[in-house]
Amino acid sequence: MTSEFNKTVRGMRDFLPEDARKLRFIEHIARETAELYGYDEVITPAIEYYELLAAKIGEENRKRMYVFEDLGGRKVALRPEFTASVARLVATKLRSAPKPLRLFSVGSLYRYDEPQFGRYREFWQANFELFGSAMPEADAEIISLTDRFLTKVGLRNYHFKVGHVGVLRGIFSHEGIDEEKQNSIMQMLDKKEVEKAINLMRETKSSGESLDTLKGLLDTSGRDLNSVIEKMRKIVDGYPSSVEAVENLREIVALLKDGGLKTGILLEAGFARGLEYYTGSIFEVYVPEMNIALGGGGRYDKLVEIFGGEKTPAVGVALGMDRILIALEKQKTPMRYNIPKRLLIIPVERSMLGEAFKLASMLRDDGFCAEVDTMGRSVTRALSDADRRGIEFTVIVGPKEIKEGKVILRHMTKRRQMIVKLDKLSEKIREESD
Ligand code: AMP
């Protein structure tokens, strides 16, 4: 056998039933959260034009895209994120949709990252975007929605790291640093390459004052929100658009607190994220058990316009479902929602198969997960199979009982069985359930 037949491609994973169920549980809660906040789902393709996806994703992510030419000669790529696709919709098909426009997406994404703990080449995100509002209440809504989703999913002890790219960009613009250089500096800061970032700023002939301001910001962070904001405000004095950014951050944080957010916030003045399109608030989610982010988001007011749409301010969040799954496992949180009770229907002989099918159908109508033995097993072997698989009830269908409109119901763990009339079966199963 060729070795390509018995393994997955590096960075790609199979989700066996238990893990698939957990991932779908997280997706289910994301969908419920979307409904609670009025976000409508959109489904966009996994393959898009390279140019669209590459436009503003940032150098690091751009280098890691799966790019190829399709058979029609188009330069395309597998999506590394949802935001570009959703912004494309808002620039085109949803151009005249009334604002605010709240959109939700979920699915798999592709980045040629170096596989390691919590980092895969195919991974999953639940993504929420709010288009049309430049107000701080929109930023606060996205953080509040993230908070509700994470609480609903059962995550504990997480916190938000919050910053604002306007604070740093305000200084860079004031010093006349062009956008490309600004992006490079931001990418370095995102990768914690502080020295490199400062050196690059020096090369642009930035003033000594601006270097001190940057260093001051990089040293400013904390959970006492008011005092961090005051400190930031003092540091950026003299950089008007940075001052504006700090005031915007003050409003967002105040709204969250006034709105009853209990989750801790760590404000970081020098916080930067890899994606290039951010223009305002940015945030990430962390748990103490892991030093990688479970999700991240922020404001991006220019992207829709870059894609040819109307000027449309926007803010969104992408939650990494794989990493949330790891975090929940580390915190030993059960990841199950109400799955139907499982029953195995065992015909005692082949002539009873039709009755067994009919019975299974009736039980499914009543909301049970009913499975008919398909292995032609004897009753004894079918019962031990049910035991092995932890099935709680079996229903044994024999000709004698069927003639009287009855079947044998067996509670597997209690090792108790009883003869039950067909029209009372569902009721009896519920009664006998643990
Ligand atoms: P981003 O789209 O880069 O803002 O990432 C948002 C979230 O997606 C991150 O916080 C991670 O939880 C998740 N994520 C990003 N890249 C990967 C990856 N290669 N593997 C697993 N999760 C990822």
Side-chain angles (χ1 to χ4, degrees):
M1 202 183 353
T2 339
S3 65
E4 279 76 16
F5 285 178
N6 54 24
K7 60 178 188 233
T8 55
V9 173
R10 184 164 155 77
M12 301 288 155
R13 293 159 300 156
D14 296 312
F15 283 76
L16 298 185
E18 198 183 327
D19 284 335
R21 193 178 303 120
K22 289 174 182 169
L23 192 78
R24 294 301 182 197
F25 162 76
I26 296 171
E27 176 178 333
H28 171 78
I29 302 289
R31 211 173 283 286
E32 269 189 2
T33 310
E35 274 159 18
L36 289 177
Y37 277 78
Y39 283 64
D40 291 321
E41 183 168 5
V42 284
I43 301 174
T44 56
I47 294 175
E48 296 262 16
Y49 282 107
Y50 168 78
E51 299 303 332
L52 174 99
L53 297 172
K56 281 283 160 192
I57 189 146
E59 194 46 34
E60 285 298 314
N61 288 327
R62 199 175 295 131
K63 283 194 300 217
R64 299 197 161 90
M65 274 163 62
Y66 280 87
V67 188
F68 59 102
E69 197 179 284
D70 73 8
L71 293 179
R74 298 170 196 91
K75 190 175 182 186
V76 296
L78 292 180
R79 61 184 176 197
E81 57 148 13
F82 282 114
T83 307
S85 302
V86 182
R88 169 180 61 73
L89 281 184
V90 177
T92 55
K93 295 177 183 149
L94 295 174
R95 194 184 187 97
S96 45
K99 307 292 183 307
L101 187 53
R102 294 180 167 91
L103 300 174
F104 162 68
S105 314
V106 63
S108 54
L109 305 164
Y110 303 85
R111 292 182 195 173
Y112 202 78
D113 278 327
E114 193 47 36
Q116 53 193 282
F117 174 72
R119 194 174 287 284
Y120 316 102
R121 291 181 176 170
E122 180 184 55
F123 61 98
W124 292 72
Q125 281 185 351
N127 188 79
F128 300 82
E129 317 273 0
L130 169 49
F131 293 92
S133 169
M135 311 296 280
E137 43 272 44
D139 306 62
E141 174 174 308
I142 288 288
I143 293 180
S144 135
L145 173 157
T146 302
D147 187 55
R148 179 172 290 266
F149 164 66
L150 293 173
T151 308
K152 262 173 100 65
V153 100
L155 197 71
R156 292 185 304 272
N157 299 329
Y158 60 91
H159 75 269
F160 290 107
K161 180 163 115 180
V162 179
H164 197 300
V165 298
V167 179
L168 297 181
R169 286 204 190 265
I171 299 161
F172 302 149
S173 301
H174 196 82
E175 294 296 312
I177 301 176
D178 66 34
E179 203 181 309
E180 208 175 307
K181 279 255 161 53
Q182 287 192 21
N183 292 341
S184 302
I185 300 173
M186 298 292 267
Q187 299 259 334
M188 287 167 188
L189 292 177
D190 180 40
K191 287 196 288 178
K192 311 272 175 282
E193 298 169 350
V194 176
E195 274 310 306
K196 242 170 116 177
I198 289 177
N199 286 340
L200 184 57
M201 211 173 150
R202 267 201 196 100
E203 280 170 28
T204 65
K205 313 240 172 343
S206 297
S207 64
E209 188 201 333
S210 72
L211 281 168
D212 288 344
T213 309
L214 176 66
K215 283 183 202 154
L217 287 172
L218 293 175
D219 276 345
T220 304
S221 71
R223 287 172 184 261
D224 180 351
L225 307 180
N226 288 335
S227 80
V228 176
I229 297 242
E230 275 319 312
K231 202 168 158 204
M232 286 171 76
R233 177 67 186 76
K234 280 203 189 90
I235 295 174
V236 300
D237 213 27
Y239 294 92
S241 72
S242 299
V243 170
E244 223 175 274
V246 174
E247 290 309 323
N248 180 237
L249 193 57
R250 190 198 299 274
E251 275 188 275
I252 296 166
V253 168
L255 251 172
L256 286 168
K257 287 293 157 195
D258 292 350
L261 184 89
K262 303 261 182 333
T263 305
I265 293 180
L266 171 69
L267 269 186
E268 238 185 65
F271 179 26
R273 302 206 66 225
L275 303 167
E276 252 165 38
Y277 46 65
Y278 289 120
T279 55
S281 69
I282 48 169
F283 69 95
E284 279 177 349
V285 180
Y286 287 91
V287 280
E289 293 86 355
M290 287 157 72
N291 61 3
I292 46 176
L294 304 191
R299 171 166 290 284
Y300 56 98
D301 285 348
K302 306 230 173 82
L303 198 60
V304 176
E305 221 178 319
I306 290 171
F307 293 163
E310 311 269 327
K311 207 168 176 319
T312 312
V315 52
V317 60
L319 291 146
M321 292 162 56
D322 313 80
R323 292 191 189 170
I324 291 171
L325 197 158
I326 299 175
L328 291 171
E329 257 165 3
K330 281 190 180 288
Q331 296 187 348
K332 303 200 177 359
T333 309
M335 279 173 267
R336 293 179 83 88
Y337 47 106
N338 278 340
I339 49 172
K341 200 165 277 304
R342 292 181 77 173
L343 316 171
L344 178 65
I345 322 288
I346 311 168
V348 302
E349 54 188 47
R350 292 197 68 76
S351 69
M352 286 291 104
L353 261 171
E355 292 297 336
F357 265 59
K358 253 197 285 184
L359 186 61
S361 184
M362 177 195 97
L363 289 165
R364 290 181 194 123
D365 286 345
D366 286 347
F368 294 104
C369 160
E371 132 187 20
V372 178
D373 173 62
T374 48
M375 302 295 282
R377 285 183 171 132
S378 68
V379 173
T380 323
R381 291 196 48 208
L383 287 176
S384 55
D385 170 58
D387 257 342
R388 182 174 58 83
R389 292 194 291 141
I391 292 177
E392 199 180 333
F393 290 98
T394 48
V395 182
I396 303 164
V397 187
K400 189 168 135 269
E401 290 79 14
I402 280 289
K403 255 192 218 116
E404 298 165 10
K406 293 176 183 162
V407 286
I408 299 168
L409 173 66
R410 184 179 173 88
H411 192 300
M412 296 304 293
T413 43
K414 291 187 187 152
R415 308 226 165 270
R416 193 168 67 204
Q417 68 182 46
M418 60 213 89
I419 297 179
V420 183
K421 284 183 77 174
L422 283 173
D423 58 356
K424 291 274 180 304
L425 184 58
S426 295
E427 200 183 310
K428 193 73 189 163
I429 295 172
R430 290 209 173 89
E431 230 176 80
E432 293 283 323
S433 289
D434 301 323

